[in-house]
Amino acid sequence: MLVSAWPQLTCKLCDFGFATVLKGDALARGKWYTPGFAAPELLSGYPYDTKIDIFSLGVVSYILLTGCIPWASDTWNDDAKVNDAMIQGKVQFHPEDWDVVSEEAKNFVQWTMTTDPEFRPSAEDLYAHAW
């Protein structure tokens, strides 16, 4: 979604298909997701919070920075294989895709795609990130 026009362009990514509001420390359950973008805890059936969106942001950022998917290409057409790769944290950072990307951007993506949500950043953490 474009929120404002150039030169003060603001762009927001959204998908309201499975949206819900979590209040306070509430946790959600459910398996509604877009294959290739869901956080490991959601795929594993654990209760989750808003940090699932941080993981998805990492996937989108990875794709926007490299033009590639973060999972082995032989998994992309098989939801079970890509889900397994996501749960195991098998993110691929190929030098030929990442050599031209700044260390700050790479660190941002790696941090957002942390498999354990306890160690994954919050939106506030990312706002303070150097990138």
Side-chain angles (χ1 to χ4, degrees):
M1 291 178 8
L2 291 177
V3 178
S4 61
W6 188 264
Q8 302 299 322
L9 181 68
T10 301
C11 180
K12 295 184 179 183
L13 299 172
C14 65
D15 176 357
F16 300 112
F18 307 120
T20 189
V21 176
L22 295 178
K23 298 191 187 258
D25 292 334
L27 295 176
R29 283 192 176 271
K31 281 218 171 187
W32 304 282
Y33 63 90
T34 303
F37 295 88
E41 60 272 26
L42 186 148
L43 296 172
S44 297
Y46 295 113
Y48 54 86
D49 61 14
T50 56
K51 286 192 176 179
I52 63 168
D53 296 325
I54 301 299
F55 187 90
S56 299
L57 171 66
V59 175
V60 171
S61 299
Y62 185 109
I63 293 168
L64 289 172
L65 287 167
T66 66
C68 302
I69 60 172
W71 325 109
S73 58
D74 65 334
T75 65
W76 197 246
N77 292 323
D78 185 331
D79 288 350
K81 283 184 180 179
V82 76
N83 288 353
D84 186 51
M86 294 170 77
I87 290 168
Q88 293 180 32
K90 292 184 178 176
V91 180
Q92 299 190 339
F93 288 92
H94 297 291
E96 64 270 15
D97 299 325
W98 286 95
D99 281 350
V100 297
V101 177
S102 72
E103 285 302 314
E104 292 86 2
K106 184 176 180 178
N107 175 265
F108 180 92
V109 172
Q110 288 173 323
W111 199 22
T112 59
M113 295 181 73
T114 301
T115 55
D116 185 338
E118 277 200 41
F119 299 105
R120 195 177 306 138
S122 65
E124 292 82 12
D125 293 332
L126 292 178
Y127 187 73
H129 190 275
W131 189 62

